[in-house]
Amino acid sequence: MDHPAAAGGRPVVTCEGLVKVFGDVRAVDDVTLAVHEGELLALLGPSGCGKTTFLRLVAGFERPDNGRIELAGTEVAGPGRHVPPERRHVGVVFQDYALFPHLNVAANVGYGVRDRSTRADRVQAVLDMVGLTAVADRYPHELSGGQQQRVALARALAPEPAIVLLDEPFSNLDAALRVEVRNEVRTILKRAGATAVLVTHDQEEALSLADRVAVMRAGRVLQVGTAQVIYERPADPFVAAFVGDADLLWGEVGHDGVATPIGILQTSAPLASHGTNGGERALVVVRAETVRLRLDGSGPAVVRRRTFYGHDQVIEVELDTGEVIRCRMGPGRAFEPGDRVRVSVTEPVVAFPASALA
Ligand code: ATP
């Protein structure tokens, strides 16, 4: 996967200290973030963390209470300044697509292209790019969900915006179509050379689609990085648990690793770098795919639940300490609820010393 940001593309969007308050909710709370030319950035976080509000601030549908936004080198929001949405050169793909029902596909796509002399050519070029030329004369209700999604994307791209903002763009598609359409959307955005921000609460979507992922919680951006970095070097326990299947276990830092209820676990980075002394408590991230179970009548855990997915399964075990961890493994029928097991972990773990936690 290409990473334009890593290649040092110039910033198209720059937000500094962005704040938006609704009553006593700080929906966006001091967000500083840059999106680089040609980059697809996913804003990932649980429901209500402020993702949509952030997009609405960038699009100009909301005014920030503090901070500033620069788009393509021009300040569009800041103290005493608010450039209206129609003058920001931003393309938006809404969750429900918001297509004009009384306009056919070509007219929907051409809607935002101001220059009448080039409109027809531009519509044709964009329809070609998204593969919709054959349905140019149809109306939105005559299209499949995936086609409607592509019309919405084509409409956003047609005026050649500085940035495309996509708000949960796949949530109206069924699971099978979602994977296909999201790959298609990435291909189209890359082909167009577009810079884009995509909002999602689906970690798989964010990890598989974006060049970089920004993880958000309660209005704040906790970490920005490539999918690999976010997954392997999460900045805090929330990011670790939210991105990927992970459980958190308390342990005690020793000279040879962290002592936990499932044994001494090696850490992927030396804890000394956090200024940790032996004996300190640490929160350990246990990824389900690294957990192995072995039937053992005197083991420290009991199988509580087995969830079968076909390609794999997740076995939930409860430790005698009351803590629960999950094991993702192949689909063979090896463990049943009630089985007593011993638990091991195949990879070094990420650990956060208590002193490093807020
Ligand atoms: P979701 O994924 O559920 O859409 P989100 O991460 O996009 O959530 P936002 O919609 O940005 O989150 O909302 C962030 C917070 O701000 C929530 O607590 C929400 O209730 C609140 N909020 C958003 N818009 C308004 C508004 N117009 N008036 C009052 N509160 C609002």
Side-chain angles (χ1 to χ4, degrees):
M1 202 183 271
D2 35 352
H3 296 294
R10 78 186 162 92
V12 172
V13 183
T14 309
C15 301
E16 279 170 19
L18 211 53
V19 173
K20 181 68 192 177
V21 178
F22 295 112
D24 54 4
V25 176
R26 291 178 79 82
V28 170
D29 189 6
D30 196 16
V31 167
T32 294
L33 187 66
V35 188
H36 299 84
E37 191 167 21
E39 176 180 33
L40 171 50
L41 180 111
L43 203 53
L44 170 69
S47 179
C49 74
K51 307 181 294 290
T52 298
T53 305
F54 175 82
L55 275 201
R56 292 176 57 80
L57 286 167
V58 174
F61 302 133
E62 303 281 358
R63 289 170 185 246
D65 293 304
N66 217 336
R68 52 189 295 280
I69 305 172
E70 227 177 69
L71 272 179
T74 304
E75 185 174 273
V76 294
R81 186 160 174 77
H82 178 78
V83 174
E86 63 277 11
R87 293 197 16 238
R88 290 199 181 188
H89 307 294
V90 164
V92 184
V93 177
F94 297 97
Q95 194 166 354
D96 60 0
Y97 315 142
L99 299 178
F100 304 118
H102 59 290
L103 297 181
N104 69 15
V105 167
N108 261 283
V109 171
Y111 187 81
V113 182
R114 299 216 183 109
D115 184 348
R116 296 177 95 177
S117 65
T118 59
R119 189 182 293 155
D121 287 346
R122 179 66 188 150
V123 167
Q124 190 53 57
V126 178
L127 287 176
D128 277 350
M129 185 163 65
V130 301
L132 285 175
T133 306
V135 296
D137 297 328
R138 289 207 207 155
Y139 287 82
H141 72 273
E142 298 171 311
L143 302 172
S144 71
Q147 287 171 323
Q148 289 181 30
Q149 162 72 261
R150 276 186 282 157
V151 176
L153 183 58
R155 186 179 59 181
L157 288 169
E160 299 187 85
I163 184 149
V164 181
L165 306 175
L166 305 104
D167 191 359
E168 299 273 3
F170 312 110
S171 53
N172 281 336
L173 303 171
D174 62 58
L177 199 56
R178 201 174 300 154
V179 174
E180 184 185 322
V181 172
R182 75 186 182 210
N183 288 336
E184 231 172 62
V185 164
R186 182 180 159 88
T187 305
I188 291 167
L189 288 169
K190 290 293 162 191
R191 199 179 293 153
T195 307
V197 177
L198 176 144
V199 153
T200 179
H201 63 273
D202 180 332
Q203 44 117 347
E204 185 183 301
E205 194 167 295
L207 295 181
S208 63
L209 206 55
D211 299 314
R212 283 193 311 157
V213 178
V215 183
M216 229 179 143
R217 181 197 201 185
R220 290 179 169 261
V221 170
L222 301 179
Q223 187 172 10
V224 189
T226 62
Q228 199 87 31
V229 164
I230 297 266
Y231 193 79
E232 288 174 357
R233 299 204 298 276
D236 73 9
F238 173 83
V239 174
F242 190 70
V243 178
D245 287 337
D247 296 297
L248 302 171
L249 277 186
W250 280 105
E252 190 174 302
V253 180
H255 292 299
D256 46 357
V258 181
T260 73
I262 57 172
I264 294 175
L265 304 181
Q266 306 303 315
T267 57
S268 54
L271 287 177
S273 64
H274 296 274
T276 304
N277 300 313
E280 191 185 357
R281 278 160 65 72
L283 202 51
V284 170
V285 180
V286 180
R287 296 241 175 248
E289 69 273 18
T290 68
V291 173
R292 298 287 179 271
L293 305 177
R294 185 160 51 83
L295 285 172
D296 183 341
S298 59
V302 176
V303 173
R304 288 291 178 222
R305 195 205 305 245
R306 170 176 181 260
T307 310
F308 188 69
Y309 293 103
H311 43 67
D312 59 9
Q313 61 184 324
V314 172
I315 310 281
E316 221 172 274
V317 303
E318 185 180 338
L319 307 181
D320 291 343
T321 55
E323 292 162 301
V324 172
I325 60 175
R326 288 163 295 168
C327 163
R328 186 175 281 279
M329 58 183 285
R333 196 170 192 112
F335 302 96
E336 295 294 343
D339 286 345
R340 196 156 261 285
V341 291
R342 197 158 284 285
V343 183
S344 58
V345 175
T346 57
E347 305 281 331
V349 294
V350 171
F352 300 98
S355 60
L357 299 175

